[in-house]
Each structure stands twice: as C-alpha cells, then as structure tokens.
Amino acid sequence: MQMATPPKQTRIFFPNLDGLRFICFFVVFLHHCYLSFFSYLENSSPGFFRAQEFLFKYGTLGVNFFFVLSGFLITYLLVKEKELTGTINIGNFYVRRILRIWPLYFLCLFIGFVLFPLMKKMGGEAMSESANPWWYISLIGNFDYMNTWPGKPDAILLSVLWSVCVEEQFYLTWPIILRFVPVKYYKYVFATIILFSLVFRAFYTAGTEADHAVRYFHTFSLIGDMALGGLLAYYVSFPNKFQ
C-alpha cells in the first residue's frame, strides 16, 4: 500500500494588497513632492500651491496605511501557521524577517553613516550628521528621529528608516503575543492595543513639534495601526459574517 502524502502548504499571497501598497507609496510620494519639489510655488503660484497642499498635505497617512497592511499580512500568516501546526515557530519567523529586511537596511546605514560623510569630506564640506548611528543599529532609530525632530538627518537616506525600525519592533513582539495567547482571545488583545494606542496619543495632542513627533514616530502611537490590521486579519481568517 502507498502512503498518502499530505498536501503541500500553498504560499499565501494577496495580489490585491499590491494595489493598496502602490496607493500608499504614491500618496507619500506626492506628499514629499509637495514639501520639496513644489514648495517654490508658495510664492510664484499661491493658488496652485494651496490646491496641492489641500490634496497632498496628509499624504503621510500612507505610512500609517502601510503599518495596517503589515499588521494584516503578518497576523494572517501567523494565524494560519498556528491553525496548521498548533503553534508558531518564533525562531523561523525571526530568520525570515532578518533575511528579508536586514541586508538592505544595514546597507542603507553604511551608505548614510559611512559613505555619505566620506563623500562630503572629499567634496570639502563639513560633516554634520545629527542622527545617532547606535540607535539605528539597535533598530530604535524612530526614537532618535523623534528626539531630533524637526531636524532631519544630514544623509536624507536615513530619514526614511525610522518606519523600518517601527516594523522591526513590531516583528519582535508580535509572534510572541500570538504564540502564547489563545486564538479565540486575539480580537480582545488587538482591540486593547488599539485603545491603548489611542489613549497614549491623546496625551500628545498639542500643536508643538515635540507632540507631533511623539504622535508620528513613537512605537506606542503606531502599534494601534498594526493591531487594526491584525484585527482585520483575525476576522477574515475564519468563515464568519464579517468575511
């Protein structure tokens, strides 16, 4: 008799998320265009400037949407792994994330903290980097950026890495939570995290740059976005009225 082989685990892929990722990227791109390329229009064409300010001023929400998408996809994958195997292999999860993100991330750090200052020095310019390399190496660069805001890193490449740090902090904690919490309690955990994030943000609602930096860069301000994605992933993981 021939033993029946178990079906291969199919790769989980949501092609529609690629379209949403493009929208997220594009609104962030337009926001940066408004801040940089088109800023001169404020004096030469104030009407057009106000129009594009109205359209693109809040393009940074695309970053928040990225966090929601990330929370959705990672949670869905972990829920399915737990459903299939009865547990979550945290070590394998970390290895996959490291291989996917760290090579490019640390290459960017090398360019920003080593090559860029060398190029400035060769060009006769003074080095004036405000970013702390140890914070970025430790994957907590978002807190460094929060402390120096509204100042930006001299190497503009470094200024976008804060969101990668937030993602890495999310990846560090999320599989641990989902492994040890029973699946039936996930929705309560996610709802609690969302509420906690909203309450935390409520303490930093002043119109100052310091409060803006906390709302925009602090992990506690952003973890609610991931939890929202996780809550949606939970509800679409099983047949129910929501799905």
Side-chain angles (χ1 to χ4, degrees), residues 22-199:
F22 171 78
I23 293 173
C24 293
F25 149 74
F26 195 54
V27 295
V28 173
F29 172 77
L30 292 174
H31 172 76
H32 283 281
C33 288
Y34 144 67
L35 289 179
S36 54
F37 302 135
F38 301 141
S39 58
Y40 71 92
L41 294 172
E42 187 170 8
N43 295 322
S44 59
S45 301
F48 185 78
F49 178 82
R50 284 194 295 272
Q52 55 107 25
E53 180 184 34
F54 172 77
L55 291 172
F56 308 139
K57 183 177 181 179
Y58 296 105
T60 52
L61 288 174
V63 178
N64 298 89
F65 199 9
F66 266 123
F67 290 143
V68 175
L69 290 174
S70 181
F72 173 85
L73 185 58
I74 293 302
T75 303
Y76 188 89
L77 293 173
L78 292 176
V79 168
K80 289 303 176 184
E81 180 181 349
K82 195 168 186 178
E83 186 180 20
L84 187 67
T85 66
T87 187
I88 293 172
N89 191 319
I90 297 175
N92 284 350
F93 177 86
Y94 287 161
V95 169
R96 291 194 301 270
R97 293 295 102 191
I98 287 172
L99 292 176
R100 185 178 181 89
I101 296 172
W102 283 21
L104 183 57
Y105 175 77
F106 284 101
L107 174 62
C108 290
L109 292 189
F110 180 74
I111 294 172
F113 285 115
V114 179
L115 293 186
F116 181 75
L118 285 176
M119 292 173 65
K120 287 193 70 175
K121 187 176 182 181
M122 291 171 61
E125 295 186 48
M127 293 180 288
S128 57
E129 185 54 75
S130 61
N132 187 321
W134 297 111
W135 289 60
Y136 283 83
I137 291 171
S138 303
L139 299 171
I140 52 175
N142 57 310
F143 292 100
D144 182 57
Y145 202 10
M146 184 178 73
N147 292 332
T148 61
W149 182 264
K152 297 178 176 62
D154 191 36
I156 198 66
L157 172 66
L158 300 174
S159 67
V160 300
L161 297 181
W162 68 268
S163 60
V164 180
C165 293
V166 174
E167 289 275 359
E168 291 297 273
Q169 294 158 34
F170 165 66
Y171 295 148
L172 178 66
T173 57
W174 214 246
I176 298 174
I177 295 173
L178 299 194
R179 176 174 178 176
F180 294 106
V181 173
V183 175
K184 64 181 179 180
Y185 295 126
Y186 280 2
K187 57 184 176 181
Y188 304 113
V189 172
F190 298 152
T192 301
I193 293 173
I194 293 170
L195 179 62
F196 163 78
S197 185
L198 291 172
V199 171

